[in-house]
């Protein structure tokens, strides 16, 4: 086991990928608790599709993927938030609309420029090789910002997640904090997207939260537990992906599924014993 | 005067839900807002909380009441019913409005929370999971949250919906006790029997203001006689 890990981490690209991946899974898990409880689970999914579109455009323009993706995905996150708050198009329909549109635009841009090749497959399902050195530095910096903001706004995020109307009525600037949640989610999605794949990245926000909600009873414990679950699942997923040469994103999701089932079974057993 | 409406009208996207509102709530009053479904009660609540601007007229606050100093007990949403949070976390979130931009709660915030948990007799629920509490216990937790937010005015939106008769009676007694302690209460309810039993004033809505005055006057008015007599009961 130790030998295997030493062998893995003798590859610099794997070290980079694991460092960024661990940070992204941590951020995603923390935000995911709020997203799932606010019924915004599909937001991550919608944003990752927007991310796919922007990756395609960035590649076509020969630009750095992160610098193109981040502003556009953040803008899309604010747009989704506004639409779900005020418009006659309901949130879930708005997300479906935006995500399929960006997917379509991305596919057309790709087929007009590079053509449909393995790149497309990598965008959709992720690649561990996606991280360059400069990407890693930017990713670590951004992930640190996301973590810091989350910790700083933890209490506000709880207040707007549990009861937005009450928070607003007692003078909490709920609009601002919703925007912060959307902003942090957008950054996290973009950072994790190329490694996990745009079709799979939203699982990082949803699974750990749902998994820890099976067992935990407090918001704080749910948050802490999902952070641990997410980081551990990511690590196991990467090792499995290395050993069996399976795609990284999909392997991480499979480990998350197993964790979810384990927690669910634990909860059922505890319930039985109590009765 | 704590809060008052002058010729106020509220609505959604151009449609007026309720208009012609003229009433004044004084310190220590217990006002019950009654009316059928769709009579504009919930819209009025949003207006009083400044979540919605009046289409015409105005909402005034007095006695140094800031708009953010209204303790609010909203109707429960479906999302809250399975929310993983301890009662303590929920009540503590009531202090958030008073925190402003400061990110963490102070020791004082926590002592106010403990005080109010004691006041409502729910200290034992402190570390229990909110979603595992009974309906009546959940309402007490939300009431504690409203009370830690402010001690000036309490606004309750259908607080006994979904409670069994015993829990409903207990809850009304609790509110009456708080009111006798000097808290101004505005309560929106279907429950006309409890309304006339506990309230000092009644506001009756049906798209517009049908009646506003003391409970005794209401019982002698045409509107009151019809409504309490059951002709409009639902």
């Amino acid at each position: 086991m130790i030998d295997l890990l030493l062998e893995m981490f003798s590859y610099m690209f794997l070290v980079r990928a694991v460092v960024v991946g661990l940070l992204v899974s941590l951020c995603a898990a923390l935000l995911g608790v709020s997203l799932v409880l606010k019924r915004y689970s599909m937001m991550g999914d919608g944003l990752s599709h927007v991310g796919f579109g922007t990756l395609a455009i960035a590649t076509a323009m020969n630009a750095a993927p992160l610098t193109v993706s981040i502003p556009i995905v953040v803008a899309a996150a604010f747009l989704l938030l506004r639409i779900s708050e005020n418009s006659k198009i309901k949130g879930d329909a708005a997300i479906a609309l935006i995500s399929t549109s960006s997917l379509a635009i991305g596919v057309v841009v790709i087929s007009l420029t590079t053509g449909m090749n393995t790149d497309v497959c990598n965008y959709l399902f992720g690649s561990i090789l996606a991280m360059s050195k400069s990407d890693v530095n930017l990713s670590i910096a951004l992930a640190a910002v996301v973590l810091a903001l989350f910790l700083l706004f933890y209490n506000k995020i709880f207040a707007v997640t549990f009861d937005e109307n009450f928070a607003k009525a007692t003078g909490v600037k709920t609009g601002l904090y919703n925007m912060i949640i959307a902003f942090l989610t957008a950054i996290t999605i973009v950072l994790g997207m190329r490694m996990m794949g745009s079709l799979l990245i939203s699982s990082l926000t949803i699974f750990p939260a749902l998994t820890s909600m099976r067992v935990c009873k407090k918001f704080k414990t749910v948050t802490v537990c999902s952070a641990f679950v997410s980081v551990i699942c990511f690590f196991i997923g990467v090792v499995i992906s290395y050993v069996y040469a399976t795609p990284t994103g999909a392997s991480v999701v499979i480990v998350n599924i197993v964790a979810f089932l384990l927690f669910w079974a634990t909860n059922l057993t505890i319930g039985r014993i109590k009765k | 005067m704590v809060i008052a409406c002058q010729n106020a009208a509220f609505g959604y996207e151009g449609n007026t839900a309720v208009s012609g509102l003229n009433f004044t709530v004084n310190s220590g009053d217990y006002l019950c807002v009654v009316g059928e479904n769709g009579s504009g009660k919930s819209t009025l609540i949003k207006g009083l909380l400044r979540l919605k601007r009046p289409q015409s007229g105005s909402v005034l606050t007095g006695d140094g009441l800031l708009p953010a100093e209204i303790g609010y007990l909203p109707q429960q949403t479906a999302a809250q019913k399975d929310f993983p949070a301890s009662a303590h976390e929920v009540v503590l979130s009531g202090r958030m409005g008073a925190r402003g931009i400061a990110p963490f709660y102070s020791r004082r915030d926590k002592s106010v929370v403990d005080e109010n948990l004691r006041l409502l007799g729910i200290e034992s629920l402190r570390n229990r999971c909110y979603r595992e509490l009974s309906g009546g216990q959940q309402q007490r937790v939300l009431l504690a949250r409203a009370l830690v937010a402010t001690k000036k005015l309490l606004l309750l939106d259908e607080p006994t919906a979904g409670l069994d008769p015993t829990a409903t009676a207990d809850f009304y007694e609790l509110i009456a006790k708080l009111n006798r302690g000097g808290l101004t209460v505005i309560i929106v309810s279907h429950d006309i029997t409890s309304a006339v039993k506990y309230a000092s004033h009644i506001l009756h809505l049906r798209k517009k203001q049908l009646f506003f005055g003391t409970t005794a006057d209401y019982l002698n008015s045409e509107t009151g006689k019809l409504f309490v007599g059951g002709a409009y009961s639902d």
Side-chain angles (χ1 to χ4, degrees):
Chain A
M1 185 68 198
I2 306 273
D3 288 346
L4 172 73
L5 292 180
L6 282 177
E7 182 196 322
M8 262 182 81
F9 293 121
S10 62
Y11 299 103
M12 259 330 274
F13 78 92
L14 263 180
V15 175
R16 287 204 293 264
V18 169
V19 168
V20 173
L22 287 175
L23 283 171
V24 169
S25 12
L26 186 59
C27 296
L30 296 177
L31 290 166
V33 177
S34 180
L35 293 177
V36 166
L37 289 168
K38 277 174 89 70
R39 305 292 191 260
Y40 281 175
S41 302
M42 287 308 286
M43 192 178 200
D45 201 47
L47 292 180
S48 63
H49 288 70
V50 175
F52 173 80
T54 60
L55 273 187
I57 293 170
T59 317
M61 290 176 5
N62 253 330
L66 283 183
T67 41
V68 177
S69 295
I70 287 174
I72 300 181
V73 176
V74 168
F78 290 162
L79 183 69
L80 283 178
L81 202 63
R82 278 209 78 83
I83 291 177
S84 55
E85 273 167 4
N86 319 328
S87 155
K88 287 185 179 152
I89 305 178
K90 286 286 164 265
D92 57 339
I95 289 173
L97 207 71
I98 290 178
S99 71
T100 48
S101 311
S102 352
L103 204 56
I105 292 170
V107 168
V108 168
V109 169
I110 288 171
S111 64
L112 285 178
T113 51
T114 56
M116 303 290 259
N117 52 23
T118 46
D119 278 357
V120 182
C121 191
N122 284 342
Y123 291 164
L124 288 174
F125 300 108
S127 160
I128 195 92
L129 303 170
M131 288 286 155
S132 75
K133 232 177 205 159
S134 61
D135 281 351
V136 172
N137 292 336
L138 184 60
S139 302
I140 291 176
L142 284 174
V145 170
V146 171
L147 284 177
L149 286 177
F150 181 86
L151 291 179
L152 199 58
F153 290 115
Y154 169 80
N155 285 318
K156 319 262 182 197
I157 288 175
F158 174 80
V160 298
T161 304
F162 183 71
D163 194 339
E164 202 173 322
N165 273 332
F166 176 86
K168 203 170 172 185
T170 49
V172 177
K173 295 188 175 56
T174 53
L176 175 69
Y177 298 117
N178 277 333
M179 277 174 84
I180 288 175
I181 295 174
F183 174 75
L184 299 180
T185 308
I187 302 270
T188 307
I189 295 286
V190 174
L191 292 183
M193 189 174 61
R194 282 177 307 155
M195 190 185 304
M196 290 292 293
S198 46
L199 290 184
L200 296 174
I201 176 69
S202 59
S203 65
L204 280 191
T205 58
I206 297 163
F207 263 113
L210 284 177
T211 301
S212 40
M213 275 175 218
R214 293 313 98 200
V215 174
C216 300
K217 310 279 184 205
K218 290 185 188 180
F219 193 75
K220 197 174 264 171
T221 49
V222 168
T223 310
V224 172
C225 177
S226 58
F228 277 106
V229 167
S230 182
V231 165
I232 291 168
C233 287
F234 178 83
F235 193 78
I236 297 175
V238 171
V239 174
I240 289 176
S241 136
Y242 176 75
V243 174
Y244 298 99
T246 46
T248 314
S251 313
V252 173
V253 176
I254 302 270
V255 177
N256 267 300
I257 297 172
V258 173
F260 178 80
L261 293 176
L262 278 176
F263 273 62
W264 188 46
T266 312
N267 184 35
L268 284 184
T269 325
I270 292 173
R272 285 272 162 75
I273 292 169
K274 273 189 181 164
K275 271 173 196 169
Chain B
M1 183 266 281
V2 176
I3 196 162
C5 279
Q6 285 188 342
N7 275 323
F10 298 100
Y12 290 90
E13 290 157 16
N15 301 319
T16 302
V18 59
S19 61
L21 295 165
N22 275 301
F23 62 88
T24 305
V25 180
N26 291 311
S27 186
D29 281 0
Y30 185 140
L31 172 70
C32 188
V33 183
V34 296
E36 293 130 86
N37 285 331
S39 57
K41 298 181 305 232
S42 298
T43 318
L44 171 63
I45 290 258
K46 291 211 171 77
L48 293 178
L49 291 169
R50 311 278 167 136
L51 298 176
K52 183 170 273 306
R53 267 187 210 160
Q55 290 173 329
S56 61
S58 54
V59 179
L60 308 172
T61 50
D63 281 356
L65 179 80
L66 300 170
E69 288 182 320
I70 301 175
Y72 175 40
L73 191 92
Q75 294 191 35
Q76 284 202 58
T77 61
Q80 282 166 11
K81 295 236 159 84
D82 61 349
F83 201 98
S86 67
H88 184 254
E89 285 177 312
V90 171
V91 178
L92 194 56
S93 74
R95 296 293 293 174
M96 187 42 77
R99 291 265 78 202
I101 193 74
F104 304 110
Y105 297 110
S106 65
R107 198 171 293 164
R108 158 137 182 77
D109 291 327
K110 288 176 183 158
S111 71
V112 170
V113 167
D114 290 338
E115 226 169 79
N116 283 282
L117 289 176
R118 253 197 310 280
L119 178 70
L120 299 186
I122 50 172
E123 291 153 291
S124 58
L125 306 180
R126 198 172 190 278
N127 290 317
R128 291 273 304 280
C129 179
Y130 179 78
R131 66 181 166 192
E132 289 170 0
L133 301 177
S134 72
Q137 290 171 329
Q138 287 184 343
Q139 283 305 63
R140 280 179 184 237
V141 170
L142 293 186
L143 182 61
R145 180 184 62 163
L147 290 177
V148 302
T150 178
K151 277 280 161 64
K152 291 182 176 168
L153 172 61
L154 186 63
L155 195 57
L156 306 103
D157 191 359
E158 303 279 4
T160 55
L163 297 189
D164 63 51
T166 323
T168 303
D170 285 351
F171 193 80
Y172 274 113
E173 283 299 336
L174 184 59
I175 298 295
K177 190 177 119 197
L178 292 169
N179 177 242
R180 283 194 296 274
L183 183 72
T184 312
V185 175
I186 302 178
I187 187 166
V188 163
S189 178
H190 276 91
D191 185 355
I192 187 68
T193 330
S194 303
V196 295
K197 183 171 167 200
Y198 292 104
S200 64
H201 293 73
I202 302 279
L203 173 66
H204 191 145
L205 301 179
R206 196 197 297 144
K207 303 276 184 200
K208 55 186 179 13
Q209 180 173 322
L210 292 184
F211 178 88
F212 171 70
T214 62
T215 308
D217 288 346
Y218 179 70
L219 290 172
N220 290 321
S221 71
E222 283 305 306
T223 321
K225 278 180 188 157
L226 277 172
F227 199 72
V228 178
Y232 286 98
S233 65
D234 48 10

